[in-house]
Amino acid sequence: MNTFRVLIRAGLALPLFAALSCSLASILERRPTFDLESGRISDFSMEFVEIELKLKLNNPYPLKLPAGALGGELSFEGRPITSITATTPDVAPNDGSSFPLKLRVPFKTLLDMGGVVEGKERFAFRARGNAEVRMESGLAGMPARFTVPFDYTQEVPAVIPEVTISNVQ
């Protein structure tokens, strides 16, 4: 009789475990995403252009994303532009949080991009590198930090601004 009860319990528990594992797999398939909220040129010289972006990190998980660090490279149409270094904020479950990203692009790189953009309707930007995530866990054997590689490509419409310089003395 006890064997029969164990088999019934196992038969009831097995579909529950299968459903939970499928649910966990579907959650882990989703990845955090970034949205560009705003951008501006904060500094300009004959050596570099500094661009300040405001990005939003979207958390698709039902758990908080802890603060971390991004490091990597930004490329334009397959050509490296500049390095990426930023600190990401804590992001609440199923929510988003904004953070700044400063990019310093050498002026020569911008001039070299001129030959690539001519006649194109869309441009491909690619950011790739590593995100370091700190975990607050008191569990033995659980790493305090772990690194997650990222590779994000975005095509944007070609918008070439018309620049006019006046009142130069």
Side-chain angles (χ1 to χ4, degrees):
M1 192 68 164
N2 285 341
T3 305
F4 183 68
R5 286 185 187 161
V6 170
L7 288 175
I8 289 176
R9 287 182 185 160
L12 293 174
L14 191 58
L16 178 63
F17 287 130
L20 287 175
S21 66
C22 288
S23 177
L24 181 61
S26 70
I27 287 172
L28 294 178
E29 281 180 2
R30 294 177 277 170
R31 298 277 185 235
T33 59
F34 293 97
D35 292 331
L36 175 63
E37 293 186 328
S38 65
R40 70 180 191 93
I41 295 175
S42 60
D43 198 1
F44 183 88
S45 75
M46 292 307 286
E47 295 177 21
F48 65 86
V49 173
E50 189 170 270
I51 303 167
E52 288 183 8
L53 302 176
K54 185 176 178 184
L55 300 175
K56 181 178 180 184
L57 176 58
N58 300 299
N59 178 9
Y61 306 127
L63 303 170
K64 178 181 103 171
L65 276 180
L70 295 178
E73 176 183 88
L74 180 67
S75 61
F76 173 79
E77 291 293 316
R79 298 177 184 194
I81 297 177
T82 190
S83 61
I84 300 169
T85 304
T87 302
T88 60
D90 286 336
V91 185
N94 299 308
D95 200 2
S97 188
S98 298
F99 68 98
L101 175 63
K102 283 188 179 184
L103 301 173
R104 184 173 274 200
V105 181
F107 195 73
K108 181 172 179 356
T109 302
L110 291 175
L111 292 176
D112 293 343
M113 288 170 53
V116 176
V117 300
E118 196 170 326
K120 290 203 172 206
E121 292 184 20
R122 299 187 70 78
F123 302 132
F125 283 94
R126 181 178 185 188
R128 67 180 175 171
N130 292 300
E132 183 179 277
V133 180
R134 295 183 303 258
M135 297 300 291
E136 298 171 12
S137 171
L139 299 175
M142 181 73 155
R145 298 177 185 192
F146 63 94
T147 301
V148 179
F150 66 88
D151 192 344
Y152 183 74
T153 302
Q154 178 72 44
E155 282 200 359
V156 296
V159 177
I160 301 176
E162 184 176 311
V163 178
T164 305
I165 300 174
S166 60
N167 295 331
V168 177
Q169 297 178 3

